[in-house]
Amino acid sequence: MSKAIKQLELDDLRKQLKDVKDYVLLEPIKLDSATEYNFRKSLRTKKVRVKLVKNSYAKKVFAEMGVTAPVLSGPTLVCWGGDSPKALGTAVDGAIKESKKDPKAPDKLKERTGIVEGAPMALKDMLNVPTRLEAIGEIVAAVTAPGSAIAGALTGPASQLASILKAIEEKTPEAAPAA
């Protein structure tokens, strides 16, 4: 391949991965076209993109972006997209499991690693990373929990006392009006 074509491919890869922070790297093992089509189609519906790249290109582009990628050998499928690392990991994991259902293609895709915010992470760990909204919800719950506990402690005895007084009031007959 000429240097000009290699440079064009590198530029295209840089452009596609410019603002991407989360990836899943897969190794295709004797992947036939039908399995690859179904794999890409299932990910496309979840807004996850897939690109087959040469390892030398991937290493070079990842190094320029400051991403620590593992040592790669053979071709690599780079998957990216989704709203969060969890969404990306779930989509790719589901597509891999779906492709394993085909008896002709049991293990055509092998997980290499996931990359979250530039650091390597296993795909199974990506499935447990909370999404942005889940993390915000957990923080809000942690911040508001002590306040709601204090409010419950302050209003609890008062409401119990009110219910006791109401019960006492209902049990005692009202005095007849004096004539």
Side-chain angles (χ1 to χ4, degrees):
M1 217 183 309
S2 71
K3 287 185 179 185
I5 292 176
K6 287 180 184 179
Q7 190 60 41
L8 285 172
E9 288 185 14
L10 277 170
D11 291 341
D12 181 52
L13 187 60
R14 284 184 192 109
K15 184 175 134 186
Q16 287 182 354
L17 301 179
K18 181 180 178 185
D19 295 325
V20 180
K21 296 179 181 178
D22 307 319
Y23 311 91
V24 174
L25 304 179
L26 303 172
E27 179 182 355
I29 303 170
K30 297 182 183 177
L31 189 63
D32 59 297
S33 62
T35 306
E36 183 179 8
Y37 172 76
N38 290 330
F39 177 74
R40 288 175 183 265
K41 182 180 176 185
S42 66
L43 289 178
R44 195 176 311 125
T45 60
K46 297 171 185 154
K47 298 189 179 179
V48 174
R49 298 193 55 204
V50 179
K51 184 169 179 80
L52 183 67
V53 297
K54 285 180 64 174
N55 287 328
S56 59
Y57 296 166
K59 287 177 194 175
K60 189 170 190 171
V61 171
F62 285 152
E64 290 171 1
M65 295 169 51
V67 174
T68 55
V71 176
L72 304 172
S73 63
T76 300
L77 275 174
V78 179
C79 306
W80 71 94
D83 299 338
S84 65
K86 183 176 188 175
L88 174 63
T90 304
V92 172
D93 189 50
I96 290 173
K97 286 179 182 175
E98 191 175 308
S99 72
K100 286 183 180 181
K101 289 180 183 176
D102 183 13
K104 296 177 186 175
D107 290 323
K108 298 275 184 169
L109 295 165
K110 180 182 168 190
E111 172 214 340
R112 285 198 171 145
T113 188
I115 298 174
V116 178
E117 298 289 331
M121 180 182 287
L123 182 60
K124 62 181 179 172
D125 295 335
M126 285 180 75
L127 301 176
N128 299 327
V129 173
T131 64
R132 183 175 183 268
L133 291 177
E134 290 172 349
I136 290 171
E138 289 175 8
I139 291 170
V140 168
V143 168
T144 59
S148 63
I150 290 172
L154 294 175
T155 60
S159 65
Q160 288 176 350
L161 182 61
S163 66
I164 290 171
L165 290 175
K166 186 176 182 180
I168 291 172
E169 183 181 304
E170 290 174 357
K171 284 186 180 179
T172 58
E174 291 190 28

